[in-house]
Amino acid sequence: MVMMSLHRSLVLFFLFISCLTLSSLALPLCSDSRAPLEGNSTLSFCPYKGKTCCDTKEDSNLNKQFQYMNISDMGCASVVKSILCSRCDIFSSELFRDHSDQLSNISITSSLFAPSLQGQAGAPMNTNASKLSDLWQSKTDFCSAFASSNETICFSGEPVTLNDTTPEKPPPGLCLQKIGNGSYLNMVPHPDGSTRAFFSTQPGVVFLAGLPDHDSGGVLDVDPSSPFVNLTDEVHFDISFGVMGMAFHPKFAQNGRFFASFNCDKSKWPGCTGRCSCNSDITPDSGSQPCQFQTMMMLHRSLVIFFLFISCLTLSSLALPLCSDSRAPLERNSTLSFCPYKGKTCCDTKEDSNLNKQFQSMNISDKACASVVKSILCSRCDPFSSELFRDHSDQLSVPILCSNTSSANSTKDFCSETWETCQNISISGSLFAPSLQGQAGAPVNTNASKLADLWQSKTDFCSAFASSNETICFSGEPVTLNDTTPDKPPPGLCLEKIGNGSYLNMVPHPDGSNRAFFSTQPGVVFLAGLPDHDSGGVLDVDPSSPFVDLTDEVHFDTSFGMMGMAFHPKFAQNGRFFASFNCDKSKWPGCTGRCSCNSDVNCDPSKITPDSGSQPCQFQTAKNAKPTEVRRIFTMGLPFTSHHAGQILFGPSDGYLYFMMGDGGGGADPYNFSQNKKSLLGKIMRVDVDNIPSASDISKRGLWGNYSIPKDNPFREDKELEPEIWAVGLRNPWRCSFDSSRPSYFMCADVGQDTYEEVDLITKGGNYGWRVFEGPELFQPESSPGGNTSAESINTIFPVMGYNHSEVDSSGKSASITGGYFYRSETDPCIDGMYLYADLYGNGVWAGIETPSNSGNFVSHRITFSCASDSPMKCDDSPGTSGLSLGYIFSFGEDNNKDIYLLTSNGVYRVVRPSRCNLTCSKENSTVARRNPGPSVSPSSSSSYYMHMNGFHGILVSLSLILLALLVMF
């Protein structure tokens, strides 16, 4: 497996996306983002005077670089000098598009136009070339890399000058209307994008107010009696003191972090502490001592509770049985000894015992209070503890308590009950003290053991530990979900055919437009325009102009090829594109990597029988290019010729790269790689591709490429695990996806062996059973040279959906699952929220319905599918029937509208509104026009029909994979 960085020419295209209105972004700025220097004289070498981005030293260095080039032709020398000196231009930030690190990586002994661009389209691999004609086949190729018709600032050989424009006239005046009487120092718009804003007063009170529409006659909708937060106990308020600023974290919707900047008086509030900014004697000012008044920036836990309301208005759709360490709950047949949890629980016997010891050490004399505290302690074991503790397990010792205004799972006012039962009871090492000292209403009393000593009132206590806005809170008993009526199975799936190409991967364009990238198994990627619904249009794709062509690197055969692709979450800024594919080291010298069969996993390659004529680890992944062109992220040699999966996804919440890897094949995983914690086969990996260690560190840590390890990967708790591993026990995960509405729902379809195809709900450190289990049943391998794992030694997480082979093939042999997506489009409301998946052989499509909601429990229904009578392209009929034939269903796809696509051997199909197939859906409103998320832009490239997979047999997997980080560079 390998990950690498791609061609600079791609970046030229990528940047067009964010530069459509670049003229509005231009500003005199150097390539290192600093302001230009002011100079009185012209530089010695470069012809820049006044404002410039070079000082005399940089000017001298450019001169030395130029002299070293030994350019004999005066005309060419003049041109090259001007290009070198463009580094000094006051608009160099725009000219070099913030890629200064890459663009400055120029060898002074060779051409400016060679080092980072070898291997691009039109450029022969000639490392000794010094002439442009040796590096580029034509002027067209040269200019396609170094020029762009879409830029508003480009280099013409002379210092950049802006076009003179007639300055705007001064406005006639400013017209104001008064909409509120309050006096505020700060206003911040609500992070959810609504017509609301936060206003803070100087004394330290923050209000949330609704803003009136223009011309409505309305005023600020604000309730003075109900502040968002009150910091007056911490804030020192005087003429020049108070709350000076507030801000919301850019990822506020995910982390609920709110920041306030204010003054405090250490003589009045013990929490006002900090180093003094002045370390010498100064005269007291207005009677105050030096550094008596300080500036603080802080966040209270009680604020976070409210903040989470913003992202939890529909929390019921986000809740999932998950422990506070992000792991799935354990399954227990008996009740724990101390805590009253049975079945799914987040505690094992050791953790249960530790909670008991903690409880005994509290020495609570009152039985009623002891019962309340015990229940709060034991909430750690609740299968919804991740929600109860809101992923703040390190800071919080108390779950979010239900109050009299709580919604959702309980109407019990457990917070008031806790206060009234325990307020005057001594509790050693109280849960309610350590992390909350110094909060509003709480005197700093480190020796306090009673709630009444820690909190001034029940109101203060419950403002910290309860919230009226949570949909899951702790009521003193294990959390139970409200029963919901399960959705009815849909009447069927209506499809339209919009393309003839056969693809393995579809990824929506990162710019949010109605375009998507499609990749073929041989390794060609196309950019295609997606037609509007009901337009009669088809994929707008140009087969002669691929986005990128990796066929020289990719080993393509029935079970080999390009298996995955993904765009970096910050693609608009860094242009990074990733590809996962197979290569053959016997045919391509660049295909190199450590063999996955090695001594670390008790495997000897010399003892493995050649598979289909190939040698162990013959098939791998690599990229033979310079680091400035393509960065290899991951490379691994694979033992056999099947079961290598290869899909890659970026986590929507954490930004890490998830890499799906099969067990390597060989017939029922004979070496038990899937359960071997030292092997990366049969695993889901999670790596950080943004923080790359040095080459020496990579070697020292034994990494497989250029990546680092996220700090919260499961190996932190399980030292036996390889650090890359996120989940274990997979056979051949074929198509995984994150739910776009609930990122914690990470679904993977895993191809079965003999009897069962499964869908798994992936969680941190989860073990999904293979090869101890196949689906829900124990599996007995015929051969086990690598040993076995006992069922009792692992905590197996069983499938949430799936089907038996006999359901799709009477012989029970031809079955192979293809994972899909939760349906989140508005097109077919009768399948909203259902998980769609299919069988590779086109024998069935299923809809999984979660029952009850947020339980993680699903009921699957096999559903019919048919072709819309007005499909833009004629659908293929199933031989001998009047039904639709999809051929092989290789993958599902999802666009920026959340519409779902089926990528099949017979073409590309899209799910459309049911009425187009005469299906009855009472929720459908066919009169509502579909809206596209972005402008309809004709693609610059597309895809072609590279392989028609008629006669494809066996499970579609990869033999060895390349994970490439294809970086578009300048």
Side-chain angles (χ1 to χ4, degrees):
M1 316 223 153
V2 179
M3 284 194 278
M4 308 181 173
S5 310
L6 189 62
H7 307 168
R8 174 188 183 275
S9 56
L10 297 183
V11 178
L12 291 173
F13 174 83
F14 300 158
L15 284 166
F16 168 64
I17 299 164
S18 58
C19 295
L20 292 175
T21 57
L22 187 63
S23 59
S24 65
L25 301 176
L27 172 73
L29 212 61
C30 300
S31 57
D32 60 0
S33 300
R34 295 175 181 268
L37 305 169
E38 285 283 357
N40 296 323
S41 59
T42 305
L43 295 170
S44 298
F45 174 65
C46 293
Y48 285 86
K49 181 181 180 181
K51 283 188 176 181
T52 175
C53 287
C54 293
D55 55 21
T56 54
K57 182 180 178 180
E58 291 165 319
D59 181 61
S60 175
N61 287 339
L62 290 172
N63 189 6
K64 291 177 183 178
Q65 184 176 354
F66 174 72
Q67 298 301 327
Y68 199 79
M69 290 179 175
N70 295 319
I71 306 172
S72 58
D73 183 86
M74 293 184 66
C76 179
S78 177
V79 168
V80 172
K81 175 182 176 180
S82 70
I83 292 174
L84 272 176
C85 287
S86 64
R87 277 283 172 197
C88 302
D89 200 283
I90 60 174
F91 286 95
S92 59
S93 178
E94 290 297 323
L95 291 175
F96 290 85
R97 283 292 178 277
D98 296 324
H99 289 263
S100 54
D101 290 341
Q102 292 88 351
L103 299 180
S104 60
N105 187 18
I106 299 167
S107 171
I108 61 174
T109 62
S110 59
S111 173
L112 290 171
F113 309 99
S116 64
L117 301 168
Q118 295 287 354
Q120 285 207 21
M125 296 291 292
N126 185 350
T127 56
N128 298 317
S130 61
K131 300 177 181 178
L132 297 190
S133 57
D134 294 335
L135 291 165
W136 303 92
Q137 294 176 4
S138 66
K139 180 177 72 175
T140 301
D141 288 336
F142 175 77
C143 289
S144 70
F146 291 102
S148 173
S149 60
N150 302 308
E151 307 302 334
T152 55
I153 289 185
C154 57
F155 188 64
S156 65
E158 299 177 356
V160 172
T161 56
L162 298 179
N163 295 330
D164 290 334
T165 56
T166 304
E168 301 255 359
K169 294 180 179 180
L174 210 57
C175 185
L176 305 174
Q177 67 172 355
K178 186 175 181 180
I179 59 171
N181 283 320
S183 178
Y184 308 103
L185 283 193
N186 299 281
M187 172 184 171
V188 178
H190 201 296
D192 67 359
S194 65
T195 54
R196 298 181 294 169
F198 294 94
F199 294 82
S200 67
T201 66
Q202 191 172 350
V205 184
V206 183
F207 298 94
L208 175 59
L211 306 175
D213 293 339
H214 277 277
D215 302 320
S216 66
V219 297
L220 280 183
D221 181 11
V222 60
D223 181 1
S225 65
S226 181
F228 170 70
V229 67
N230 190 333
L231 298 173
T232 52
D233 287 342
E234 291 92 341
V235 173
H236 174 68
F237 170 54
D238 204 339
I239 295 175
S240 301
F241 297 89
V243 169
M244 297 294 120
M246 61 177 177
F248 291 87
H249 193 279
K251 293 184 178 179
F252 173 77
Q254 288 77 44
N255 59 30
R257 302 184 71 189
F258 168 82
F259 297 82
S261 168
F262 58 89
N263 305 115
C264 61
D265 183 347
K266 67 179 183 181
S267 69
K268 297 180 180 178
W269 181 41
C272 184
T273 58
R275 283 190 296 162
C276 187
S277 59
C278 177
N279 297 316
S280 60
D281 296 334
I282 57 175
T283 305
D285 182 14
S286 302
S288 66
Q289 295 301 311
C291 294
Q292 175 179 334
F293 301 106
Q294 306 204 8
T295 295
M296 298 191 69
M297 181 175 68
M298 63 184 301
L299 165 68
H300 287 289
R301 173 187 183 275
S302 56
L303 296 183
V304 178
I305 293 175
F306 180 86
F307 302 156
L308 286 165
F309 168 63
I310 297 166
S311 57
C312 298
L313 292 174
T314 57
L315 186 63
S316 59
S317 66
L318 301 177
L320 171 72
L322 212 60
C323 302
S324 56
D325 61 359
S326 299
R327 295 175 180 265
L330 306 170
E331 286 282 354
R332 286 189 58 85
N333 295 322
S334 58
T335 305
L336 293 169
S337 298
F338 175 64
C339 295
Y341 284 86
K342 180 182 179 181
K344 284 187 176 181
T345 176
C346 287
C347 293
D348 56 20
T349 52
K350 181 179 179 181
E351 291 163 320
D352 181 62
S353 175
N354 288 338
L355 289 172
N356 189 7
K357 291 176 182 177
Q358 182 179 357
F359 173 72
Q360 299 300 330
S361 68
M362 290 180 174
N363 296 317
I364 306 172
S365 58
D366 183 86
K367 288 186 176 181
C369 179
S371 177
V372 167
V373 172
K374 176 184 176 180
S375 70
I376 291 173
L377 271 177
C378 286
S379 64
R380 280 279 171 200
C381 303
D382 200 283
F384 286 91
S385 60
S386 178
E387 292 296 324
L388 291 175
F389 290 85
R390 282 291 178 278
D391 298 324
H392 288 263
S393 54
D394 291 340
Q395 292 85 2
L396 306 186
S397 57
V398 177
I400 295 171
L401 305 181
C402 296
S403 66
N404 56 3
T405 56
S406 295
S407 58
N409 64 298
S410 178
T411 57
K412 183 178 181 181
D413 188 356
F414 187 64
C415 187
S416 293
E417 179 183 331
T418 301
W419 174 263
E420 291 164 1
T421 305
C422 296
Q423 62 174 315
N424 293 311
I425 305 300
S426 178
I427 305 173
S428 299
S430 174
L431 292 171
F432 309 99
S435 64
L436 300 170
Q437 295 289 350
Q439 285 210 23
V444 181
N445 185 348
T446 56
N447 297 316
S449 61
K450 300 177 182 179
L451 298 189
D453 295 334
L454 289 165
W455 303 93
Q456 295 176 4
S457 66
K458 180 176 71 175
T459 300
D460 289 336
F461 175 77
C462 287
S463 70
F465 291 103
S467 173
S468 61
N469 302 310
E470 306 301 334
T471 55
I472 288 187
C473 56
F474 188 64
S475 65
E477 299 176 355
V479 171
T480 56
L481 296 176
N482 296 329
D483 290 332
T484 55
T485 303
D487 288 324
K488 294 180 180 180
L493 209 58
C494 186
L495 304 174
E496 67 173 353
K497 186 175 181 180
I498 59 172
N500 278 322
S502 182
Y503 309 103
L504 286 194
N505 300 281
M506 172 186 173
V507 178
H509 200 297
D511 68 357
S513 66
N514 58 334
R515 298 180 293 169
F517 293 92
F518 293 81
S519 67
T520 68
Q521 192 172 351
V524 185
V525 183
F526 298 94
L527 175 60
L530 305 175
D532 291 342
H533 278 274
D534 303 315
S535 67
V538 297
L539 284 182
D540 180 11
V541 60
D542 180 2
S544 66
S545 181
F547 172 71
V548 66
D549 187 337
L550 298 173
T551 51
D552 287 342
E553 292 90 345
V554 173
H555 175 69
F556 168 55
D557 203 341
T558 303
S559 299
F560 298 89
M562 182 172 169
M563 297 293 126
M565 64 176 177
F567 290 87
H568 193 281
K570 294 183 178 179
F571 172 77
Q573 289 78 44
N574 61 28
R576 299 183 73 193
F577 166 75
F578 296 76
S580 165
F581 58 88
N582 306 117
C583 65
D584 184 348
K585 70 178 183 181
S586 69
K587 298 179 180 179
W588 180 37
C591 185
T592 57
R594 280 191 291 157
C595 186
S596 57
C597 173
N598 54 55
S599 58
D600 291 342
V601 295
N602 299 316
C603 180
D604 184 354
S606 66
K607 296 181 179 180
I608 294 181
T609 303
D611 186 6
S612 303
S614 67
Q615 296 300 312
C617 296
Q618 173 179 334
F619 299 101
Q620 304 199 12
T621 291
K623 183 70 177 177
N624 187 19
K626 295 189 176 182
T628 49
E629 295 166 342
V630 178
R631 172 174 287 160
R632 181 177 304 182
I633 303 299
F634 189 100
T635 307
M636 183 168 71
L638 303 165
F640 301 106
T641 59
S642 60
H643 302 186
H644 301 130
Q647 186 185 10
I648 50 177
L649 295 169
F650 278 97
S653 298
D654 55 30
Y656 294 127
L657 187 69
Y658 290 77
F659 189 10
M660 276 48 81
M661 172 57 72
D663 65 12
D669 191 10
Y671 286 86
N672 199 23
F673 288 128
S674 288
Q675 289 298 324
N676 191 325
K677 295 181 179 181
K678 294 301 179 184
S679 172
L680 300 185
L681 295 173
K683 311 297 192 296
I684 292 176
M685 290 173 274
R686 178 178 182 252
V687 298
D688 181 352
V689 296
D690 292 325
N691 299 290
I692 310 299
S694 66
S696 60
D697 280 345
I698 290 172
S699 177
K700 181 179 179 181
R701 300 177 192 178
L703 303 180
W704 297 75
N706 291 289
Y707 59 85
S708 59
I709 304 299
K711 293 182 179 180
D712 58 343
N713 269 12
F715 82 100
R716 298 291 180 182
E717 295 84 31
D718 186 346
K719 302 302 181 183
E720 295 181 4
L721 278 176
E722 285 296 285
E724 295 89 347
I725 295 172
W726 184 253
V728 306
L730 285 304
R731 182 175 179 271
N732 186 45
W734 189 250
R735 294 334 192 205
C736 304
S737 65
F738 289 93
D739 184 3
S740 59
S741 293
R742 306 174 300 177
S744 61
Y745 279 68
F746 179 22
M747 314 298 289
C748 275
D750 195 21
V751 177
Q753 175 79 21
D754 299 321
T755 61
Y756 195 81
E757 304 297 310
E758 67 184 68
V759 179
D760 296 309
L761 179 50
I762 304 298
T763 55
K764 177 181 178 180
N767 189 327
Y768 295 89
W770 176 254
R771 117 198 122 142
V772 181
F773 292 89
E774 181 184 4
E777 303 296 333
L778 283 169
F779 180 78
Q780 299 296 332
E782 294 181 1
S783 174
S784 303
N788 290 307
T789 300
S790 68
E792 294 75 20
S793 67
I794 61 175
N795 293 313
T796 303
I797 301 175
F798 290 101
V800 295
M801 289 172 272
Y803 57 93
N804 287 297
H805 288 197
S806 58
E807 293 182 46
V808 295
D809 179 16
S810 58
S811 69
K813 296 184 180 298
S814 296
S816 178
I817 196 169
T818 299
Y821 292 85
F822 280 100
Y823 190 85
R824 297 299 179 189
S825 171
E826 300 173 357
T827 302
D828 185 350
C830 279
I831 56 173
D832 178 53
M834 299 182 188
Y835 179 78
L836 299 178
Y837 61 101
D839 187 75
L840 169 69
Y841 295 90
N843 295 324
V845 175
W846 287 262
I849 302 174
E850 192 176 17
T851 307
S853 296
N854 316 307
S855 64
N857 299 319
F858 291 82
V859 176
S860 290
H861 300 272
R862 190 171 179 179
I863 58 177
T864 61
F865 50 89
S866 53
C867 183
S869 58
D870 58 350
S871 175
M873 303 178 72
K874 186 180 184 301
C875 298
D876 296 272
D877 295 328
S878 181
T881 72
S882 59
L884 169 62
S885 173
L886 296 174
Y888 296 101
I889 304 176
F890 298 137
S891 294
F892 286 79
E894 183 182 55
D895 67 14
N896 286 313
N897 268 328
K898 307 308 174 188
D899 277 312
I900 297 299
Y901 297 73
L902 281 71
L903 310 184
T904 79
S905 60
N906 287 346
V908 178
Y909 293 82
R910 176 168 62 181
V911 177
V912 296
R913 52 188 174 83
S915 58
R916 289 180 61 184
C917 291
N918 296 317
L919 299 173
T920 302
C921 172
S922 60
K923 300 177 183 179
E924 181 183 347
N925 182 0
S926 60
T927 63
V928 177
R930 296 283 297 138
R931 294 176 58 191
N932 289 309
S936 180
V937 182
S938 180
S940 64
S941 61
S942 181
S943 57
S944 67
Y945 190 59
Y946 261 81
M947 58 170 216
H948 190 79
M949 293 294 292
N950 287 334
F952 175 83
H953 297 286
I955 299 165
L956 183 62
V957 294
S958 68
L959 174 54
S960 67
L961 294 174
I962 297 181
L963 209 48
L964 303 177
L966 304 174
L967 171 63
V968 189
M969 299 180 299
F970 283 84

